[in-house]
Amino acid sequence: MIDQDRNLSPTVGDYVKAVWKIAGPNVASTNEISSRLSVSPASVTNMLGRLQEMGLIEYERYRGASLTRRGRIEALRLVRRHRLIETFLVEHLGYSWEDVHEEAETLEHAVSDEFTERLAELLRHPDRDPHGDPIPRADGTLAEVDSYPLGEATAGARVCIIRVSDDNAAALVYLGEHGLVPGEVVSVKEVRSLDGVITVEDEDGNPHSLGQSLAHSVFVVSVQSVSERAHG
């Protein structure tokens, strides 16, 4: 990964990571950033001006912010660190997957790049974190999977859960208790058009009903796609 200014503050790091998570290569609005970071729109506007001066974003008032190449590198460096820390906490310290996000948010600003790479080696360079999110590589690249929300699946589909949003701890508790975790294969039995509730059946024949919001926090790929990648 390209060498960066390691003296960027945690606040700056949080902002570039937020822009990346909201928009990727596109534009994140002031209101979206404000909502994600729980700060006022006025504070966001002031910080975005500062980040533009630092060369981390391109910002246009009333339109929003997008990351520069340097900003994207910095964001992915922090995302790599965060997801490796989450993996370590689950695999070696016994944390549950609903508890690791906030802990990693704090720790990612307290450790060095050298620590991050030693951690990756200890963990044998995992591709994904406990929630199934891809871990950026040390060179700053990121392998994306063309997944879609379970809530958009159709009745009769057989899909594999590839990742789960880590934004809602209560949802993670529910999904974990029901075995709806990355790697689990389920069959879609019913999609109710009235309220968006989707019912799936796991490989043991157990049914699970998920509300619309919960179903859209679970991302899947077709079982055929998984098989094609395995043999590709």
Side-chain angles (χ1 to χ4, degrees):
M1 188 173 287
I2 293 175
D3 189 37
Q4 293 290 305
D5 176 3
R6 301 311 184 202
N7 295 318
L8 294 180
S9 72
T11 299
V12 170
D14 287 342
Y15 267 83
V16 294
K17 196 171 67 168
V19 173
W20 178 81
K21 286 190 173 182
I22 292 167
N26 301 312
V27 176
S29 72
T30 299
N31 286 337
E32 287 174 321
I33 299 169
S34 171
S35 177
R36 185 168 191 93
L37 296 179
S38 299
V39 295
S40 71
S43 295
V44 171
T45 298
N46 290 335
M47 178 58 77
L48 294 181
R50 179 184 168 198
L51 296 181
Q52 181 165 247
E53 291 175 357
M54 296 172 70
L56 294 169
I57 67 166
E58 293 180 356
Y59 171 58
E60 185 178 333
R61 196 173 179 86
Y62 306 118
R63 182 170 178 268
S66 60
L67 293 174
T68 61
R69 180 172 179 272
R70 179 171 176 248
R72 176 177 169 80
I73 289 171
E74 179 65 23
L76 288 175
R77 183 174 71 86
L78 288 171
V79 171
R80 171 175 171 79
R81 185 179 291 178
H82 180 102
R83 293 177 179 174
L84 284 169
I85 290 171
E86 286 192 338
T87 305
F88 174 76
L89 292 174
V90 169
E91 293 187 2
H92 291 269
L93 296 185
Y95 278 70
S96 59
W97 73 338
E98 68 268 17
D99 292 332
V100 294
H101 181 71
E102 291 303 321
E103 196 79 76
E105 281 288 308
T106 300
L107 291 173
E108 71 184 42
H109 299 298
V111 301
S112 66
D113 284 346
E114 180 179 356
F115 179 93
T116 302
E117 297 317 310
R118 291 192 180 203
L119 194 59
E121 187 173 355
L122 173 69
L123 296 169
R124 299 185 179 181
H125 302 283
D127 295 325
R128 294 184 172 272
D129 73 7
H131 308 106
D133 286 311
I135 298 174
R137 304 181 185 95
D139 64 2
T141 58
L142 179 67
E144 294 284 4
V145 174
D146 190 19
S147 60
Y148 61 93
L150 177 59
E152 295 179 5
T154 56
R158 191 161 177 261
V159 297
C160 179
I161 298 172
I162 198 74
R163 69 181 181 89
V164 176
S165 172
D166 62 2
D167 290 337
N168 188 321
L172 288 171
V173 171
Y174 177 88
L175 294 170
E177 289 176 345
H178 290 78
L180 300 175
V181 298
E184 181 72 11
V185 173
V186 297
S187 299
V188 180
K189 293 301 184 182
E190 181 186 17
V191 180
R192 294 203 314 233
S193 57
L194 179 64
D195 54 12
V197 171
I198 184 168
T199 300
V200 300
E201 184 177 276
D202 62 29
E203 294 288 82
D204 294 325
N206 301 309
H208 307 278
S209 293
L210 290 77
Q212 188 174 42
S213 176
L214 186 57
H216 275 79
S217 73
V218 178
F219 295 83
V220 300
V221 295
S222 71
V223 170
Q224 181 180 359
S225 297
V226 173
S227 177
E228 288 174 352
R229 283 200 300 273
H231 294 88

Short mmCIF file of all heavy atoms in Angstrom, two decimals, residues 97-98 164 168-181 198 200 207-211 214-215 217-218:
data_model
loop_
_atom_site.label_atom_id
_atom_site.label_comp_id
_atom_site.label_asym_id
_atom_site.label_seq_id
_atom_site.Cartn_x
_atom_site.Cartn_y
_atom_site.Cartn_z
N TRP A 97 -19.86 -11.74 17.27
CA TRP A 97 -19.77 -10.88 16.09
C TRP A 97 -20.57 -9.60 16.23
O TRP A 97 -20.34 -8.65 15.51
CB TRP A 97 -20.11 -11.64 14.83
CG TRP A 97 -21.57 -11.99 14.60
CD1 TRP A 97 -22.57 -12.09 15.52
CD2 TRP A 97 -22.15 -12.30 13.33
NE1 TRP A 97 -23.73 -12.45 14.91
CE2 TRP A 97 -23.52 -12.58 13.57
CE3 TRP A 97 -21.67 -12.37 12.02
CZ2 TRP A 97 -24.39 -12.93 12.55
CZ3 TRP A 97 -22.53 -12.72 11.00
CH2 TRP A 97 -23.89 -13.00 11.27
N GLU A 98 -21.52 -9.54 17.18
CA GLU A 98 -22.27 -8.31 17.38
C GLU A 98 -21.53 -7.31 18.26
O GLU A 98 -21.93 -6.14 18.35
CB GLU A 98 -23.65 -8.59 17.96
CG GLU A 98 -23.66 -9.10 19.39
CD GLU A 98 -23.66 -10.62 19.48
OE1 GLU A 98 -23.32 -11.27 18.46
OE2 GLU A 98 -23.99 -11.14 20.56
N VAL A 164 -23.13 -10.03 5.99
CA VAL A 164 -24.23 -9.47 6.77
C VAL A 164 -23.82 -8.08 7.24
O VAL A 164 -22.69 -7.89 7.70
CB VAL A 164 -24.57 -10.36 7.99
CG1 VAL A 164 -25.64 -9.72 8.85
CG2 VAL A 164 -25.02 -11.74 7.53
N ASN A 168 -26.33 -3.11 12.85
CA ASN A 168 -27.35 -3.33 13.87
C ASN A 168 -26.99 -4.55 14.72
O ASN A 168 -27.09 -5.68 14.26
CB ASN A 168 -28.71 -3.52 13.20
CG ASN A 168 -29.85 -3.55 14.19
OD1 ASN A 168 -29.74 -4.13 15.28
ND2 ASN A 168 -30.97 -2.95 13.82
N ALA A 169 -26.57 -4.30 15.96
CA ALA A 169 -26.14 -5.39 16.83
C ALA A 169 -27.27 -6.36 17.13
O ALA A 169 -27.07 -7.58 17.18
CB ALA A 169 -25.57 -4.83 18.13
N ALA A 170 -28.49 -5.83 17.33
CA ALA A 170 -29.63 -6.71 17.62
C ALA A 170 -29.92 -7.65 16.46
O ALA A 170 -30.25 -8.83 16.67
CB ALA A 170 -30.87 -5.86 17.94
N ALA A 171 -29.77 -7.13 15.23
CA ALA A 171 -29.98 -7.98 14.06
C ALA A 171 -28.93 -9.08 13.99
O ALA A 171 -29.23 -10.23 13.66
CB ALA A 171 -29.94 -7.13 12.79
N LEU A 172 -27.68 -8.74 14.34
CA LEU A 172 -26.61 -9.74 14.34
C LEU A 172 -26.87 -10.83 15.37
O LEU A 172 -26.61 -12.01 15.11
CB LEU A 172 -25.27 -9.07 14.60
CG LEU A 172 -24.71 -8.21 13.46
CD1 LEU A 172 -23.49 -7.43 13.93
CD2 LEU A 172 -24.36 -9.06 12.25
N VAL A 173 -27.39 -10.44 16.53
CA VAL A 173 -27.73 -11.43 17.56
C VAL A 173 -28.77 -12.41 17.01
O VAL A 173 -28.63 -13.63 17.12
CB VAL A 173 -28.25 -10.75 18.83
CG1 VAL A 173 -28.82 -11.79 19.81
CG2 VAL A 173 -27.15 -9.96 19.52
N TYR A 174 -29.82 -11.86 16.40
CA TYR A 174 -30.90 -12.70 15.87
C TYR A 174 -30.38 -13.64 14.78
O TYR A 174 -30.65 -14.84 14.79
CB TYR A 174 -32.02 -11.82 15.30
CG TYR A 174 -33.14 -12.61 14.67
CD1 TYR A 174 -34.21 -13.05 15.43
CD2 TYR A 174 -33.12 -12.92 13.31
CE1 TYR A 174 -35.24 -13.79 14.86
CE2 TYR A 174 -34.14 -13.66 12.72
CZ TYR A 174 -35.19 -14.09 13.51
OH TYR A 174 -36.20 -14.83 12.94
N LEU A 175 -29.63 -13.09 13.84
CA LEU A 175 -29.13 -13.90 12.73
C LEU A 175 -28.17 -14.98 13.23
O LEU A 175 -28.21 -16.12 12.76
CB LEU A 175 -28.44 -13.01 11.70
CG LEU A 175 -29.36 -12.02 10.97
CD1 LEU A 175 -28.54 -11.02 10.16
CD2 LEU A 175 -30.33 -12.77 10.05
N GLY A 176 -27.31 -14.62 14.19
CA GLY A 176 -26.39 -15.60 14.75
C GLY A 176 -27.11 -16.72 15.46
O GLY A 176 -26.76 -17.90 15.32
N GLU A 177 -28.15 -16.38 16.23
CA GLU A 177 -28.91 -17.41 16.96
C GLU A 177 -29.62 -18.37 16.01
O GLU A 177 -29.87 -19.52 16.37
CB GLU A 177 -29.92 -16.73 17.88
CG GLU A 177 -29.30 -16.03 19.08
CD GLU A 177 -30.33 -15.29 19.92
OE1 GLU A 177 -31.46 -15.08 19.42
OE2 GLU A 177 -29.99 -14.91 21.06
N HIS A 178 -29.97 -17.89 14.82
CA HIS A 178 -30.68 -18.72 13.86
C HIS A 178 -29.77 -19.32 12.79
O HIS A 178 -30.25 -19.95 11.84
CB HIS A 178 -31.80 -17.91 13.20
CG HIS A 178 -32.94 -17.60 14.12
ND1 HIS A 178 -32.87 -16.60 15.08
CD2 HIS A 178 -34.15 -18.19 14.27
CE1 HIS A 178 -34.01 -16.58 15.76
NE2 HIS A 178 -34.80 -17.52 15.31
N GLY A 179 -28.47 -19.14 12.96
CA GLY A 179 -27.52 -19.75 12.03
C GLY A 179 -27.49 -19.13 10.65
O GLY A 179 -26.98 -19.74 9.70
N LEU A 180 -28.02 -17.91 10.53
CA LEU A 180 -28.03 -17.22 9.24
C LEU A 180 -26.78 -16.38 9.13
O LEU A 180 -26.79 -15.15 9.30
CB LEU A 180 -29.31 -16.39 9.11
CG LEU A 180 -30.62 -17.20 9.19
CD1 LEU A 180 -31.83 -16.27 9.17
CD2 LEU A 180 -30.69 -18.23 8.07
N VAL A 181 -25.67 -17.05 8.86
CA VAL A 181 -24.34 -16.46 8.89
C VAL A 181 -23.65 -16.69 7.55
O VAL A 181 -24.09 -17.54 6.76
CB VAL A 181 -23.50 -17.06 10.04
CG1 VAL A 181 -24.15 -16.77 11.39
CG2 VAL A 181 -23.34 -18.57 9.86
N ILE A 198 -39.83 -12.29 4.20
CA ILE A 198 -39.31 -13.37 3.39
C ILE A 198 -39.03 -14.58 4.28
O ILE A 198 -38.49 -14.43 5.38
CB ILE A 198 -38.03 -12.93 2.63
CG1 ILE A 198 -37.52 -14.04 1.70
CG2 ILE A 198 -36.92 -12.48 3.57
CD1 ILE A 198 -36.46 -13.55 0.73
N VAL A 200 -37.22 -18.25 4.57
CA VAL A 200 -36.20 -19.13 3.99
C VAL A 200 -36.12 -20.41 4.80
O VAL A 200 -36.57 -20.48 5.95
CB VAL A 200 -34.81 -18.44 3.96
CG1 VAL A 200 -34.86 -17.17 3.12
CG2 VAL A 200 -34.32 -18.14 5.37
N PRO A 207 -37.34 -23.49 9.03
CA PRO A 207 -37.80 -22.24 8.41
C PRO A 207 -37.41 -21.02 9.25
O PRO A 207 -37.35 -21.10 10.48
CB PRO A 207 -39.32 -22.42 8.36
CG PRO A 207 -39.62 -23.27 9.56
CD PRO A 207 -38.43 -24.20 9.73
N HIS A 208 -37.15 -19.90 8.57
CA HIS A 208 -36.83 -18.65 9.25
C HIS A 208 -37.53 -17.52 8.50
O HIS A 208 -37.38 -17.41 7.28
CB HIS A 208 -35.33 -18.39 9.26
CG HIS A 208 -34.52 -19.52 9.82
ND1 HIS A 208 -34.34 -19.73 11.16
CD2 HIS A 208 -33.86 -20.53 9.18
CE1 HIS A 208 -33.59 -20.80 11.36
NE2 HIS A 208 -33.28 -21.31 10.17
N SER A 209 -38.27 -16.69 9.22
CA SER A 209 -38.95 -15.55 8.60
C SER A 209 -38.24 -14.26 8.98
O SER A 209 -37.97 -14.02 10.16
CB SER A 209 -40.41 -15.50 9.03
OG SER A 209 -41.13 -16.60 8.51
N LEU A 210 -37.94 -13.45 7.98
CA LEU A 210 -37.22 -12.18 8.20
C LEU A 210 -38.05 -11.03 7.68
O LEU A 210 -38.58 -11.10 6.56
CB LEU A 210 -35.86 -12.19 7.49
CG LEU A 210 -34.75 -13.10 8.03
CD1 LEU A 210 -35.00 -14.55 7.63
CD2 LEU A 210 -33.40 -12.67 7.49
N GLY A 211 -38.16 -9.98 8.49
CA GLY A 211 -38.82 -8.77 8.03
C GLY A 211 -38.03 -8.09 6.93
O GLY A 211 -36.87 -8.42 6.68
N LEU A 214 -34.60 -6.52 7.94
CA LEU A 214 -33.60 -7.53 8.26
C LEU A 214 -33.15 -8.28 7.01
O LEU A 214 -31.96 -8.54 6.82
CB LEU A 214 -34.18 -8.52 9.28
CG LEU A 214 -33.23 -9.58 9.84
CD1 LEU A 214 -32.01 -8.94 10.49
CD2 LEU A 214 -33.96 -10.47 10.83
N ALA A 215 -34.10 -8.60 6.14
CA ALA A 215 -33.76 -9.33 4.91
C ALA A 215 -32.83 -8.51 4.01
O ALA A 215 -32.00 -9.06 3.28
CB ALA A 215 -35.03 -9.70 4.15
N SER A 217 -30.51 -6.60 5.10
CA SER A 217 -29.19 -6.49 5.72
C SER A 217 -28.36 -7.76 5.52
O SER A 217 -27.20 -7.82 5.94
CB SER A 217 -29.34 -6.22 7.23
OG SER A 217 -29.78 -7.37 7.92
N VAL A 218 -28.96 -8.75 4.85
CA VAL A 218 -28.28 -10.02 4.55
C VAL A 218 -28.01 -10.06 3.05
O VAL A 218 -28.94 -9.91 2.25
CB VAL A 218 -29.15 -11.22 4.97
CG1 VAL A 218 -28.47 -12.54 4.60
CG2 VAL A 218 -29.45 -11.18 6.46
#
